[in-house]
Amino acid sequence: AQSVTQLDSQVPVFEEAPVELRCNYSSSVSVYLFWYVQYPNQGLQLLLKYLSGSTLVKGINGFEAEFNKSQTSFHLRKPSVHISDTAEYFCAVTPAGSSASKIIFGSGTRLSIRP
Amino acid sequence: NAGVTQTPKFRVLKTGQSMTLLCAQDMNHEYMYWYRQDPGMGLRLIHYSVGEGTTAKGEVPDGYNVSRLKKQNFLLGLESAAPSQTSVYFCASSYPGEQFFGPGTRLTVL
């Protein structure tokens, strides 16, 4: 079975500062990893995904994440945040090749941007 | 191309009432899902379907039923609503490697 831990429930940062949202996972098999963003009163939207290949994955809105197999981590980063990045971010994992039928979500990290 | 749509957007029920949430997708995806989202708990899978006519239980199936009579639709039913079912419900559909989410239904059970 897989599990996901998002280490921070809330992350406050100042506008234009860098940010890192942490995600660790547990799995006995190879995995696919995802970051989703949820803006207020909306559904989830895919930011980026790691399926295979390069461990540095670039997503939308200037976000990127690095898959680290030895540390079982998939941290999300952005070098300079904007007010519009205020949202909740979810890390998710599924067994590789599983057709996404068993995606497990973390509990979410609420990113708040201060002007 | 509307993606994944959900109806209704909001609903208030009294304990013991029943209702059905409708999810529709126009991407020809085989897989569809129902999740509930509660504060601090992320998304929890209620039921899912791997194709027309099939359904399977997820992490928190009790108190809910589902049907997938048509490939594009996935219905979530509450036969006798309870206050513990107050939540935001999300539908999703997928192809291998990614899920697409609807905008959600906010349900309050009094």
Side-chain angles (χ1 to χ4, degrees), chain A residues 1-94:
Chain A
Q2 288 72 42
S3 66
V4 178
T5 302
Q6 291 185 244
L7 297 162
D8 306 296
S9 59
Q10 296 188 57
V11 174
V13 295
F14 288 104
E15 194 172 15
E16 298 183 5
V19 69
E20 179 180 82
L21 305 183
R22 297 181 293 170
C23 172
N24 286 90
Y25 69 92
S26 172
S27 177
S28 57
V29 300
S30 296
V31 295
Y32 294 158
L33 292 155
F34 309 84
W35 276 100
Y36 283 85
V37 59
Q38 184 179 31
Y39 298 106
N41 300 313
Q42 294 187 27
L44 277 71
Q45 177 182 346
L46 184 69
L47 263 183
L48 50 80
K49 60 184 176 184
Y50 171 80
L51 303 183
S52 65
S54 173
T55 57
L56 183 62
V57 181
K58 294 190 183 298
I60 61 172
N61 302 338
F63 283 93
E64 64 180 33
E66 185 159 18
F67 170 55
N68 187 320
K69 189 175 181 180
S70 62
Q71 297 188 3
T72 60
S73 68
F74 191 56
H75 300 334
L76 181 70
R77 301 185 183 101
K78 185 169 183 178
S80 176
V81 295
H82 190 265
I83 290 284
S84 60
D85 294 322
T86 297
E88 189 151 21
Y89 293 78
F90 292 93
C91 183
V93 64
T94 192

Side-chain angles (χ1 to χ4, degrees), chain B residues 33-45:
Chain B
Y33 314 80
W34 277 106
Y35 293 92
R36 61 178 288 173
Q37 183 180 32
D38 302 291
M41 301 188 75
L43 277 80
R44 292 182 292 169
L45 183 64

Side-chain angles (χ1 to χ4, degrees), chain B residues 16-87:
Chain B
Q17 286 185 315
S18 63
M19 78 163 294
T20 300
L21 283 67
L22 172 64
C23 175
Q25 54 99 1
D26 60 3
M27 295 174 283
N28 202 35
H29 289 163
E30 290 292 337
Y31 288 71
M32 296 187 74
Y33 314 80
W34 277 106
Y35 293 92
R36 61 178 288 173
Q37 183 180 32
D38 302 291
M41 301 188 75
L43 277 80
R44 292 182 292 169
L45 183 64
I46 304 171
H47 286 281
Y48 66 101
S49 168
V50 301
E52 182 178 320
T54 72
T55 63
K57 293 181 179 179
E59 182 185 355
V60 288
D62 294 342
Y64 305 95
N65 57 75
V66 288
S67 64
R68 183 99 180 267
L69 299 179
K70 294 182 179 180
K71 185 177 184 178
Q72 63 268 35
N73 296 336
F74 195 30
L75 278 64
L76 178 71
L78 287 73
E79 289 186 350
S80 178
S84 60
Q85 294 177 304
T86 293
S87 188

